[in-house]
DNA sequence: TTTTTTATGTAATGTACATTACAAACCTAT
DNA sequence: ATAGGTTTGTAATGTACATTACATAAAAAA
């Protein structure tokens, strides 16, 4: 009876642990373990009362069975079951152990990879597909100009996005680098134009100001920001809250770029026929300039 | 289920239901929904007490939030969550894309996410830790200047890297945007200086030329390129072959930025005492220019 | 049979929990 | 400022639960 201590924990899952002891059980106990295994693991994710009812036995029988299996109480059993489930469910995206296997977790590359994929997963959960699609729809309206601006760090993303979007559609403008020229550029913004703003902490006053002004001119703002939300969020029609934090202290820009790229890809697909044409033209121009260069050399 | 408020139940998963209302929430409520989505679905599989603690709010706030979302009580919420989990688990095929990446595999966001993580995994396998560490060691020598240059698309990464590395160490220079000025910049390069080059397809003649010339001047080249290797690889002392391809045809820059960032992080850690000092100085200067808002957390 | 052992259930108990009522704190606008 | 609303937390309450103690039934051994 009271062999609480005998838990041959060489097994990975709780199911294995149970299966390894299948011959030790009395009739009522068999009812329980059968039910647990047959509806694994969710059968265990209920109250002990419910579980006992589902098995047609009493609650103390459940208790005794679990103790026999190797758990000190129903609560700890359920806790371990929950952990196992957690483990199984966590990031279908990262396939974490793939690279964790052949490399020490402690190497920078792996730590950064871990952080980035975690950030990515979290961020994907924050952004609804509807919202994303709405952004794409908005960007597909080419009669409205599209302006892009970023901050100290994020201006690199603004440029990346600009370079790609310029190929895909017309009427794309990036703010000049010099903040002093921003008010000047503001003049180009017409009502219902779209303004893409990148603003992650530390939030920059210039970006906030320019967003307010653009908003006052009737621009629709799409905001790339972090999980703490730039104050610009209140001006924006669409806000992408992107997880940028690494536990280690540094802020990551990778996921921000991911979303920028996702928008590029989505828009390219939506406007493909037109984009294909523009790309061909671009290729031609590359060829011409190459030939041009060669001639001088 | 006699719901108290308006529950627009055209949504399939609870996650979607929450996401469809993301703008309706107050600060404390945002904490809760963020946590629920970020750790979906297991975050909801605990007692309301535990959940409230995990979110840093009180239990009544959790109750109110769930009612706002559309559930009459915490218990019914958890029950539905459990059912959903049950449902998903019993269908092992759809299992993976259901949550986190949630929704049809065909949505752009999921496809891009899939591509990026695949590229990341492959790239990590291509780069040995030894090589990576050697690069970091090389970059840690600050008596040698560090120059950075990128191409049409990748100049954004060059800038991103430059912005960060400038903070970490001295003697960091980025090439000017105008290609016409590159030869000019070349004069600054001294023997044993380091040159970081970004060159992914289509490989650019200007980059190749400048690399040759830099090499001739005795510079050590670190090359960010793609799996097909830019011709510059033959000039480079370290080459990072990064998988950039999406099946869908477009080339992704996310993993390239990942490696750029990983280098930044690694170097920052290696030179931390010095970096910390430089960062403090930078902070002071920010304060002086009053360009940045106080950090909001 | 009677006794002992094993198996299972009933009922009692204390704890953790979900829920509600209320009050404090915090905005926002006049 | 101050009145209105909103947002959030504290504390109280009743319920569901896990757990234990005890009792009964069944089976095995004597």
């Amino acid at each position: 009876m009271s062999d609480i201590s005998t838990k041959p924990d060489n097994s990975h899952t709780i199911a294995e642990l149970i299966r390894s002891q299948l011959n030790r059980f009395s009739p009522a106990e068999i009812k329980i373990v059968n039910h647990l295994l047959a509806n694994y693991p969710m059968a265990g994710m209920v109250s002990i009362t419910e579980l006992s009812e589902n098995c047609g036995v009493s609650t103390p029988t459940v208790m005794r069975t679990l103790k026999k299996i190797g758990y000190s109480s129903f609560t700890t059993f359920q806790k371990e079951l929950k952990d196992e489930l957690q483990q199984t469910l966590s990031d279908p995206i990262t396939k974490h152990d793939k690279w964790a296997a052949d490399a020490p977790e402690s190497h920078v590359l792996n730590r950064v990879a871990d952080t980035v994929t975690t950030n990515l997963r979290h961020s994907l959960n924050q952004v609804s597909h509807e919202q994303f699609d709405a952004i794409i729809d908005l960007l597909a309206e080419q009669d409205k100009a599209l302006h892009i601006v970023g901050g100290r760090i994020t201006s690199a993303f603004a440029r990346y996005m600009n370079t790609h979007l310029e190929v895909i559609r017309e009427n794309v403008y990036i703010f000049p680098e010099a903040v002093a020229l921003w008010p000047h550029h503001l003049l180009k913004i017409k009502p219902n134009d779209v303004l893409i703003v990148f603003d992650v902490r530390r939030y920059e006053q210039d970006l906030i100001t320019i967003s307010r002004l653009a908003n006052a001119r009737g621009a629709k703002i799409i905001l790339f920001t972090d999980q703490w939300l730039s104050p610009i969020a209140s001006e924006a029609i669409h806000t992408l809250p992107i997880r940028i934090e690494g536990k280690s202290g540094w802020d990551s820009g990778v996921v921000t770029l991911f979303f920028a790229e996702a928008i590029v890809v989505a828009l390219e697909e939506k406007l493909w026929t037109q984009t294909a044409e523009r790309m061909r033209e671009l290729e031609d121009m590359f060829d011409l300039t190459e030939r041009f260069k060669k001639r001088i050399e």
Side-chain angles (χ1 to χ4, degrees), chain A:
Chain A
M1 196 206 288
S2 61
D3 43 5
I4 294 172
S5 48
T6 49
K7 182 178 158 189
D9 208 348
N10 42 13
S11 50
H12 279 123
T13 74
I14 295 173
E16 282 176 46
L17 179 62
I18 296 175
R19 265 191 229 104
S20 69
Q21 312 177 56
L22 273 184
N23 42 353
R24 302 179 57 214
F25 300 113
S26 68
E29 289 171 343
I30 287 176
K31 278 191 197 174
I32 296 169
V33 294
N34 276 350
H35 179 252
L36 281 178
L37 291 178
N39 305 78
Y40 192 81
M42 290 306 286
M45 299 297 290
V46 296
S47 74
I48 193 174
T49 317
E50 206 173 325
L51 177 57
S52 72
E53 282 167 5
N54 292 339
C55 301
V57 299
S58 67
T59 50
T61 303
V62 174
M63 285 243 62
R64 279 186 293 259
T65 309
L66 291 178
K67 284 188 176 159
K68 198 166 182 176
I69 292 171
Y71 297 96
S72 58
S73 69
F74 176 79
T75 315
T76 62
F77 159 76
Q78 198 171 57
K79 197 154 157 294
E80 293 213 15
L81 193 64
K82 225 176 269 183
D83 287 348
E84 187 180 307
L85 194 52
Q86 172 81 277
Q87 192 87 4
T88 313
L89 292 181
S90 71
D91 47 28
I93 294 177
T94 71
K95 294 129 185 172
H96 177 275
D97 9 32
K98 273 273 184 168
W99 53 63
D102 53 282
E105 174 68 38
S106 52
H107 192 278
V108 191
L109 269 179
N110 296 319
R111 276 165 29 228
V112 177
D114 202 38
T115 302
V116 165
T117 47
T118 304
N119 283 345
L120 176 58
R121 185 162 47 87
H122 285 197
S123 302
L124 281 173
N125 276 331
Q126 303 289 71
V127 177
S128 78
H129 293 163
E130 289 72 27
Q131 187 187 17
F132 185 85
D133 294 340
I135 291 174
I136 301 304
D137 290 342
L138 189 56
L139 294 178
E141 297 172 18
Q142 294 173 69
D143 48 326
K144 312 298 176 198
L146 169 59
H147 306 267
I148 311 178
V149 67
R152 186 174 70 96
I153 307 274
T154 48
S155 65
F157 305 143
R159 292 172 56 86
Y160 184 83
M161 217 177 172
N162 177 67
T163 308
H164 280 101
L165 289 181
E166 263 182 350
V167 179
I168 295 176
R169 52 159 280 178
E170 292 177 346
N171 244 338
V172 180
Y173 307 99
I174 189 167
F175 270 59
E177 289 196 45
V179 178
L181 298 178
W182 286 7
H184 193 94
H185 187 97
L186 209 56
L187 288 175
K188 294 187 186 159
I189 300 185
K190 303 269 177 278
N192 289 316
D193 275 4
V194 177
L195 173 62
I196 295 183
V197 182
F198 289 83
D199 190 30
V200 299
R201 72 174 185 192
R202 316 167 33 150
Y203 311 120
E204 296 174 31
Q205 189 54 53
D206 294 319
L207 283 172
I208 298 170
T209 309
I210 218 71
S211 299
R212 296 238 165 89
L213 293 173
N215 205 13
R217 289 179 68 87
K220 293 175 180 167
I221 295 181
I222 299 173
L223 173 67
F224 284 71
T225 185
D226 53 45
Q227 63 258 50
W228 303 286
L229 297 189
S230 151
I232 298 174
S234 55
E235 319 277 335
I237 192 173
H238 291 299
T239 298
L240 293 172
I242 294 160
R243 183 113 175 181
I244 61 162
E245 194 192 26
K247 287 170 205 156
S248 346
W250 47 274
D251 288 346
S252 168
V254 176
V255 180
T256 308
L257 188 74
F258 166 88
F259 276 93
E261 191 167 284
I263 285 179
V264 168
V265 172
L267 195 66
E268 182 177 299
E269 287 184 1
K270 191 183 176 80
L271 303 178
W272 178 244
T273 45
Q274 169 190 339
T275 300
E277 170 62 25
R278 289 174 69 91
M279 279 184 165
R280 204 169 324 112
E281 289 179 41
L282 184 65
E283 289 295 313
D284 290 349
M285 286 189 273
F286 281 151
D287 285 351
L288 282 173
T289 44
E290 283 302 312
R291 223 175 296 149
F292 177 62
K293 271 184 197 161
K294 271 180 191 154
R295 232 167 255 170
I296 327 179
E297 276 167 18

